[in-house]
Amino acid sequence: MADFLLIHGSCHGAWCWRDVIPALQALGHGARAIDLPGHGDDPTPLAEVTLEGCRDAILAASTPDTIIVGHSWGGYPISAAGEAAPEAMRALVYLCAYVPISGLSLVDMRKRAKRQPLMPAVRRSDDGLSFTFDPDMTPDLFYHDCPEAAVAYAMPRLTPQASAPQATPLTVTGRFASVPKFYIRCTEDHAIPPEYQAEMVQDWPRDRVFSLPTSHSPFFSDPTGLAALLDRIAAAM
């Protein structure tokens, strides 16, 4: 069976995969999640968090047999890992995530969307090093279809997100292109517009693009369905 490495998005941590890991294990897969630098139990100061450091944390946890799943902003560091060492992974899966255009940063990619639902909720720190999301707006942005208990679990665990790595351009070449890639679009996403998710992969083979009828957080709203889809992706390789 497959070995899955799960990478969180902005302001989250390895904790957000708590329901997906056992669901994947129940299907016979190996599954684990890591905290990117500056999140969860990782002590990296926000001022020292870089896209390269996030990339290296992923590569340190990956093997040539690993399927790396990146959620939301996590699409950027998993892409950086694929560019740096395509031989260090089996495939990349983008879960309602940003897929880079070479030479652009995540901030650049976000601005290409015709709608910007996240921006009214962004609260930048006074020192400019990080941002958080307005707690009154966060449940609808990320968790509108999630169980109340999951929302109560998530909200106090959200942490500031370092700004610098998301403003760092990423150049991708044929090395990145050589890695098998799959996309899971969340059709009820209130954070990254579903139509923009479709636009980012409009030229991908149709058998590598899937959909879930969920919010931006299928790891809470439908962990069993997400695990089943990841199982299907693994079987297709």
Side-chain angles (χ1 to χ4, degrees), residues 55-157:
R55 173 201 67 195
D56 293 345
I58 292 168
L59 289 174
S62 184
T63 77
D65 295 323
T66 300
I67 299 172
I68 305 175
V69 181
H71 174 247
S72 195
W73 126 258
Y76 253 69
I78 71 169
S79 299
E83 172 65 24
E87 71 282 357
M89 61 205 63
R90 181 178 170 192
L92 298 175
V93 178
Y94 294 79
L95 176 60
C96 52
Y98 290 97
V99 180
I101 292 175
S102 188
L104 299 185
S105 68
L106 181 140
V107 172
D108 297 327
M109 286 297 302
R110 177 188 54 73
K111 290 179 178 178
R112 291 172 66 91
K114 295 179 177 64
R115 294 193 292 125
Q116 300 291 328
L118 281 173
M119 294 315 294
V122 171
R123 302 292 178 263
R124 303 191 187 281
S125 63
D126 291 341
D127 59 13
L129 293 176
S130 66
F131 65 88
T132 56
F133 294 103
D134 186 319
D136 292 331
M137 303 175 73
T138 296
D140 181 68
L141 280 173
F142 297 145
Y143 312 123
H144 67 85
D145 62 347
C146 300
E148 289 185 10
V151 180
Y153 171 81
M155 290 293 291
R157 288 173 169 79

Side-chain angles (χ1 to χ4, degrees), residues 205-236:
R206 291 300 89 191
D207 61 355
R208 295 202 172 186
V209 179
F210 303 85
S211 293
L212 282 175
T214 70
S215 68
H216 194 60
S217 302
F219 38 77
F220 287 139
S221 62
D222 189 13
T224 301
L226 175 56
L229 188 47
L230 291 172
D231 175 68
R232 180 179 167 190
I233 289 170

Side-chain angles (χ1 to χ4, degrees), residues 36 97 151 158 167:
L36 291 178
V151 180
L158 296 172

